[in-house]
Amino acid sequence: MQAIIQTSALSKSYGGQVAVDRLDLEIYPGEIFGFLGPNGAGKTTTLLMLLGLTAPSAGKALVLGRNPLTEPLAVKRQVGYLPENVGFYLDMTAAENLSYVARLNGVAPKKLTGLVDRALDAVGLAKESGKLAGAFSRGMRQRLGIAELLVKEPKLVYLDEPTLGLDPDGIKRMLELIVSLSKDRGITVVLCSHLLHQVQRICDRVGVMMQGRLIAQHRMDELEGGEGKLEELYMHYFERA
């Protein structure tokens, strides 16, 4: 199977400080891949390079067969990104925000309304379509962020700490949405998180990043002992880093 993301010795430094160190990685279509690591491990910097938003200091990356640095628009048309802090036009309704994003991505007018309605319905916000985004709770904004990804009809999405600051019900809803992206829609998901139990619950594979280095990769179904085993491995790598 052809990898949807391929990196070779991908590296990024800021003023002599290494943020990502020689990353070799392959991620395959339809899987949920978890980047697990503490804050500052290099997860977000990796996403920015894969989006073409920052240039690598060395190495290379291919996303959907394209170089995100030299072909950023071609990559962005097929890739969605949900940052840690989602931004919307707060004086526009949920539906207006999604319609605006869809138009920016070249969605045909005759397709627009149906696409927005389906995206809002998929994240449980159909009844809130006319509500101003500024009145949304954090959990609702995170779900609206997923809906914004859906109107692009992406093949690949990057989610950066998508459950941060959510209450238990919001976390449950978000994790269910992430699983549905992969299992129901065939979208490849790259999830950045430092929350072991959430990664354990929904990811197919996990990569452990420490101090900019990808120091281990595992298939979740190969880890005997469930969450306890993942925590044991994580702490082992953390102590060695």
Side-chain angles (χ1 to χ4, degrees):
M1 182 185 296
Q2 182 68 35
I4 198 167
I5 293 174
Q6 295 175 293
T7 73
S8 176
L10 190 67
S11 304
K12 181 66 180 181
S13 298
Y14 296 98
Q17 179 69 36
V18 177
V20 177
D21 187 9
R22 294 165 293 173
L23 176 67
D24 293 324
L25 178 67
E26 291 188 346
I27 297 175
Y28 296 94
E31 72 175 338
I32 303 177
F33 184 90
F35 267 127
L36 183 63
N39 293 332
K43 304 185 301 294
T44 298
T45 300
T46 298
L47 293 191
L48 294 178
M49 287 191 285
L50 294 177
L51 281 164
L53 296 177
T54 189
S57 304
K60 61 182 180 179
L62 288 177
V63 177
L64 295 158
R66 298 177 182 272
N67 185 326
L69 185 63
T70 59
E71 302 178 89
L73 294 181
V75 170
K76 289 183 178 71
R77 277 194 289 268
Q78 301 181 80
V79 177
Y81 175 43
L82 185 70
E84 185 175 322
N85 295 302
V86 189
F88 296 103
Y89 292 99
L90 302 184
D91 59 348
M92 292 169 59
T93 67
E96 288 170 344
N97 269 282
L98 298 192
S99 295
Y100 181 67
V101 169
R103 290 196 300 272
L104 286 179
N105 283 276
V107 174
K110 63 181 181 181
K111 188 180 179 182
L112 190 62
T113 300
L115 189 61
V116 168
D117 289 345
R118 287 192 297 274
L120 288 169
D121 185 60
V123 300
L125 292 176
K127 294 182 179 179
E128 312 293 340
S129 64
K131 188 173 183 177
L132 294 180
F136 276 21
S137 67
R138 179 173 177 84
M140 292 171 69
R141 289 189 193 185
Q142 292 296 94
R143 284 189 281 147
L144 186 59
I146 296 290
E148 185 177 282
L149 300 182
L150 292 177
V151 298
K152 291 184 65 175
E153 299 183 300
K155 294 182 178 179
L156 167 68
V157 296
Y158 305 131
L159 309 178
D160 195 358
E161 302 286 0
T163 63
L164 192 67
L166 301 187
D167 61 24
D169 181 63
I171 291 171
K172 179 175 181 292
R173 284 172 175 260
M174 180 56 62
L175 294 181
E176 289 172 349
L177 279 172
I178 294 170
V179 171
S180 74
L181 294 177
S182 170
K183 307 310 178 189
D184 299 335
R185 298 173 181 267
I187 298 171
T188 305
V189 178
V190 178
L191 169 68
C192 288
S193 180
H194 64 280
L195 301 173
L196 276 69
H197 65 287
Q198 293 181 14
V199 169
Q200 171 75 41
R201 179 175 168 184
I202 68 171
C203 290
D204 300 304
R205 283 196 302 138
V206 61
V208 181
M209 289 197 78
M210 298 282 179
Q211 298 177 356
R213 293 179 292 118
L214 184 66
I215 60 176
Q217 294 185 64
H218 295 281
R219 284 196 58 83
M220 300 309 303
D221 58 12
E222 295 172 351
L223 290 180
E224 297 179 2
E227 184 179 328
K229 182 65 172 179
L230 179 60
E231 183 174 4
E232 179 183 328
L233 285 169
Y234 181 80
M235 292 309 299
H236 171 71
Y237 297 135
F238 185 80
E239 290 165 2
R240 289 175 54 194

PDB file of all heavy atoms in Angstrom, residues 10-22 40-42 45 57 211-213:
ATOM      1  N   LEU A  10      13.513  14.225   7.883  1.00  0.00           N
ATOM      2  CA  LEU A  10      12.889  15.552   7.979  1.00  0.00           C
ATOM      3  C   LEU A  10      13.318  16.230   9.280  1.00  0.00           C
ATOM      4  O   LEU A  10      13.157  15.661  10.369  1.00  0.00           O
ATOM      5  CB  LEU A  10      11.366  15.415   7.926  1.00  0.00           C
ATOM      6  CG  LEU A  10      10.571  16.705   7.781  1.00  0.00           C
ATOM      7  CD1 LEU A  10      10.821  17.349   6.425  1.00  0.00           C
ATOM      8  CD2 LEU A  10       9.081  16.435   7.971  1.00  0.00           C
ATOM      9  N   SER A  11      13.835  17.437   9.154  1.00  0.00           N
ATOM     10  CA  SER A  11      14.402  18.128  10.318  1.00  0.00           C
ATOM     11  C   SER A  11      14.038  19.603  10.294  1.00  0.00           C
ATOM     12  O   SER A  11      13.855  20.199   9.223  1.00  0.00           O
ATOM     13  CB  SER A  11      15.931  17.999  10.339  1.00  0.00           C
ATOM     14  OG  SER A  11      16.333  16.646  10.314  1.00  0.00           O
ATOM     15  N   LYS A  12      13.944  20.176  11.493  1.00  0.00           N
ATOM     16  CA  LYS A  12      13.674  21.610  11.612  1.00  0.00           C
ATOM     17  C   LYS A  12      14.391  22.162  12.838  1.00  0.00           C
ATOM     18  O   LYS A  12      14.273  21.624  13.941  1.00  0.00           O
ATOM     19  CB  LYS A  12      12.169  21.867  11.746  1.00  0.00           C
ATOM     20  CG  LYS A  12      11.803  23.346  11.858  1.00  0.00           C
ATOM     21  CD  LYS A  12      12.117  24.121  10.586  1.00  0.00           C
ATOM     22  CE  LYS A  12      11.751  25.595  10.694  1.00  0.00           C
ATOM     23  NZ  LYS A  12      12.037  26.325   9.448  1.00  0.00           N
ATOM     24  N   SER A  13      15.135  23.241  12.610  1.00  0.00           N
ATOM     25  CA  SER A  13      15.831  23.922  13.701  1.00  0.00           C
ATOM     26  C   SER A  13      15.449  25.392  13.708  1.00  0.00           C
ATOM     27  O   SER A  13      15.205  25.991  12.652  1.00  0.00           O
ATOM     28  CB  SER A  13      17.350  23.785  13.548  1.00  0.00           C
ATOM     29  OG  SER A  13      17.752  22.438  13.609  1.00  0.00           O
ATOM     30  N   TYR A  14      15.397  25.968  14.890  1.00  0.00           N
ATOM     31  CA  TYR A  14      15.144  27.404  15.052  1.00  0.00           C
ATOM     32  C   TYR A  14      16.321  28.000  15.817  1.00  0.00           C
ATOM     33  O   TYR A  14      16.482  27.744  17.019  1.00  0.00           O
ATOM     34  CB  TYR A  14      13.852  27.638  15.829  1.00  0.00           C
ATOM     35  CG  TYR A  14      12.596  27.151  15.142  1.00  0.00           C
ATOM     36  CD1 TYR A  14      12.032  25.921  15.474  1.00  0.00           C
ATOM     37  CD2 TYR A  14      11.969  27.921  14.170  1.00  0.00           C
ATOM     38  CE1 TYR A  14      10.863  25.478  14.860  1.00  0.00           C
ATOM     39  CE2 TYR A  14      10.806  27.493  13.546  1.00  0.00           C
ATOM     40  CZ  TYR A  14      10.264  26.271  13.903  1.00  0.00           C
ATOM     41  OH  TYR A  14       9.113  25.837  13.292  1.00  0.00           O
ATOM     42  N   GLY A  15      17.147  28.745  15.109  1.00  0.00           N
ATOM     43  CA  GLY A  15      18.279  29.393  15.768  1.00  0.00           C
ATOM     44  C   GLY A  15      19.187  28.439  16.525  1.00  0.00           C
ATOM     45  O   GLY A  15      19.628  28.739  17.639  1.00  0.00           O
ATOM     46  N   GLY A  16      19.443  27.298  15.944  1.00  0.00           N
ATOM     47  CA  GLY A  16      20.314  26.324  16.595  1.00  0.00           C
ATOM     48  C   GLY A  16      19.600  25.343  17.497  1.00  0.00           C
ATOM     49  O   GLY A  16      20.192  24.351  17.935  1.00  0.00           O
ATOM     50  N   GLN A  17      18.330  25.612  17.799  1.00  0.00           N
ATOM     51  CA  GLN A  17      17.540  24.705  18.631  1.00  0.00           C
ATOM     52  C   GLN A  17      16.800  23.718  17.728  1.00  0.00           C
ATOM     53  O   GLN A  17      16.004  24.121  16.874  1.00  0.00           O
ATOM     54  CB  GLN A  17      16.524  25.498  19.465  1.00  0.00           C
ATOM     55  CG  GLN A  17      15.636  24.656  20.353  1.00  0.00           C
ATOM     56  CD  GLN A  17      16.386  24.020  21.504  1.00  0.00           C
ATOM     57  OE1 GLN A  17      17.303  24.626  22.061  1.00  0.00           O
ATOM     58  NE2 GLN A  17      16.012  22.800  21.841  1.00  0.00           N
ATOM     59  N   VAL A  18      17.052  22.432  17.907  1.00  0.00           N
ATOM     60  CA  VAL A  18      16.442  21.402  17.070  1.00  0.00           C
ATOM     61  C   VAL A  18      15.029  21.116  17.557  1.00  0.00           C
ATOM     62  O   VAL A  18      14.826  20.735  18.715  1.00  0.00           O
ATOM     63  CB  VAL A  18      17.272  20.103  17.075  1.00  0.00           C
ATOM     64  CG1 VAL A  18      16.577  19.024  16.246  1.00  0.00           C
ATOM     65  CG2 VAL A  18      18.668  20.371  16.537  1.00  0.00           C
ATOM     66  N   ALA A  19      14.044  21.322  16.664  1.00  0.00           N
ATOM     67  CA  ALA A  19      12.648  21.045  17.005  1.00  0.00           C
ATOM     68  C   ALA A  19      12.217  19.665  16.508  1.00  0.00           C
ATOM     69  O   ALA A  19      11.445  18.965  17.173  1.00  0.00           O
ATOM     70  CB  ALA A  19      11.739  22.118  16.412  1.00  0.00           C
ATOM     71  N   VAL A  20      12.671  19.298  15.307  1.00  0.00           N
ATOM     72  CA  VAL A  20      12.405  17.974  14.735  1.00  0.00           C
ATOM     73  C   VAL A  20      13.726  17.448  14.199  1.00  0.00           C
ATOM     74  O   VAL A  20      14.413  18.146  13.445  1.00  0.00           O
ATOM     75  CB  VAL A  20      11.342  18.028  13.614  1.00  0.00           C
ATOM     76  CG1 VAL A  20      11.140  16.641  12.991  1.00  0.00           C
ATOM     77  CG2 VAL A  20      10.019  18.556  14.156  1.00  0.00           C
ATOM     78  N   ASP A  21      14.060  16.222  14.588  1.00  0.00           N
ATOM     79  CA  ASP A  21      15.391  15.684  14.310  1.00  0.00           C
ATOM     80  C   ASP A  21      15.314  14.415  13.456  1.00  0.00           C
ATOM     81  O   ASP A  21      14.975  13.340  13.947  1.00  0.00           O
ATOM     82  CB  ASP A  21      16.083  15.381  15.650  1.00  0.00           C
ATOM     83  CG  ASP A  21      17.542  14.975  15.491  1.00  0.00           C
ATOM     84  OD1 ASP A  21      18.070  15.082  14.374  1.00  0.00           O
ATOM     85  OD2 ASP A  21      18.133  14.547  16.503  1.00  0.00           O
ATOM     86  N   ARG A  22      15.543  14.558  12.142  1.00  0.00           N
ATOM     87  CA  ARG A  22      15.679  13.426  11.212  1.00  0.00           C
ATOM     88  C   ARG A  22      14.499  12.452  11.290  1.00  0.00           C
ATOM     89  O   ARG A  22      14.667  11.263  11.533  1.00  0.00           O
ATOM     90  CB  ARG A  22      16.999  12.697  11.458  1.00  0.00           C
ATOM     91  CG  ARG A  22      18.234  13.529  11.132  1.00  0.00           C
ATOM     92  CD  ARG A  22      19.472  12.927  11.718  1.00  0.00           C
ATOM     93  NE  ARG A  22      19.458  12.983  13.167  1.00  0.00           N
ATOM     94  CZ  ARG A  22      20.375  12.396  13.950  1.00  0.00           C
ATOM     95  NH1 ARG A  22      21.356  11.717  13.401  1.00  0.00           N
ATOM     96  NH2 ARG A  22      20.289  12.510  15.265  1.00  0.00           N
ATOM     97  N   GLY A  40       6.207  20.359  23.382  1.00  0.00           N
ATOM     98  CA  GLY A  40       7.558  20.698  22.975  1.00  0.00           C
ATOM     99  C   GLY A  40       8.334  19.555  22.356  1.00  0.00           C
ATOM    100  O   GLY A  40       9.516  19.696  22.054  1.00  0.00           O
ATOM    101  N   ALA A  41       7.654  18.424  22.126  1.00  0.00           N
ATOM    102  CA  ALA A  41       8.349  17.255  21.569  1.00  0.00           C
ATOM    103  C   ALA A  41       8.607  17.381  20.076  1.00  0.00           C
ATOM    104  O   ALA A  41       9.416  16.636  19.520  1.00  0.00           O
ATOM    105  CB  ALA A  41       7.536  15.989  21.843  1.00  0.00           C
ATOM    106  N   GLY A  42       7.896  18.296  19.405  1.00  0.00           N
ATOM    107  CA  GLY A  42       8.082  18.469  17.964  1.00  0.00           C
ATOM    108  C   GLY A  42       6.880  18.069  17.132  1.00  0.00           C
ATOM    109  O   GLY A  42       6.933  18.089  15.898  1.00  0.00           O
ATOM    110  N   THR A  45       5.363  21.176  15.144  1.00  0.00           N
ATOM    111  CA  THR A  45       6.318  21.583  14.109  1.00  0.00           C
ATOM    112  C   THR A  45       6.281  20.613  12.935  1.00  0.00           C
ATOM    113  O   THR A  45       6.351  21.017  11.766  1.00  0.00           O
ATOM    114  CB  THR A  45       7.738  21.660  14.686  1.00  0.00           C
ATOM    115  OG1 THR A  45       7.764  22.615  15.747  1.00  0.00           O
ATOM    116  CG2 THR A  45       8.736  22.082  13.614  1.00  0.00           C
ATOM    117  N   SER A  57      14.527  22.361   7.688  1.00  0.00           N
ATOM    118  CA  SER A  57      15.939  22.721   7.614  1.00  0.00           C
ATOM    119  C   SER A  57      16.727  21.692   6.825  1.00  0.00           C
ATOM    120  O   SER A  57      17.775  21.999   6.257  1.00  0.00           O
ATOM    121  CB  SER A  57      16.519  22.840   9.030  1.00  0.00           C
ATOM    122  OG  SER A  57      15.782  23.772   9.796  1.00  0.00           O
ATOM    123  N   GLN A 211      11.804  15.131  22.445  1.00  0.00           N
ATOM    124  CA  GLN A 211      12.875  16.065  22.104  1.00  0.00           C
ATOM    125  C   GLN A 211      13.159  16.095  20.605  1.00  0.00           C
ATOM    126  O   GLN A 211      14.305  16.113  20.157  1.00  0.00           O
ATOM    127  CB  GLN A 211      14.144  15.707  22.886  1.00  0.00           C
ATOM    128  CG  GLN A 211      13.946  15.807  24.381  1.00  0.00           C
ATOM    129  CD  GLN A 211      15.173  15.388  25.170  1.00  0.00           C
ATOM    130  OE1 GLN A 211      16.172  14.952  24.598  1.00  0.00           O
ATOM    131  NE2 GLN A 211      15.103  15.526  26.487  1.00  0.00           N
ATOM    132  N   GLY A 212      12.068  16.087  19.821  1.00  0.00           N
ATOM    133  CA  GLY A 212      12.185  16.217  18.377  1.00  0.00           C
ATOM    134  C   GLY A 212      12.459  14.937  17.627  1.00  0.00           C
ATOM    135  O   GLY A 212      12.505  14.942  16.393  1.00  0.00           O
ATOM    136  N   ARG A 213      12.645  13.836  18.330  1.00  0.00           N
ATOM    137  CA  ARG A 213      12.957  12.562  17.678  1.00  0.00           C
ATOM    138  C   ARG A 213      11.795  11.586  17.802  1.00  0.00           C
ATOM    139  O   ARG A 213      11.180  11.478  18.861  1.00  0.00           O
ATOM    140  CB  ARG A 213      14.217  11.944  18.293  1.00  0.00           C
ATOM    141  CG  ARG A 213      15.486  12.730  18.025  1.00  0.00           C
ATOM    142  CD  ARG A 213      16.695  12.086  18.663  1.00  0.00           C
ATOM    143  NE  ARG A 213      16.606  12.160  20.127  1.00  0.00           N
ATOM    144  CZ  ARG A 213      16.558  11.089  20.915  1.00  0.00           C
ATOM    145  NH1 ARG A 213      16.572   9.871  20.410  1.00  0.00           N
ATOM    146  NH2 ARG A 213      16.498  11.243  22.219  1.00  0.00           N
TER     147      ARG A 213
END
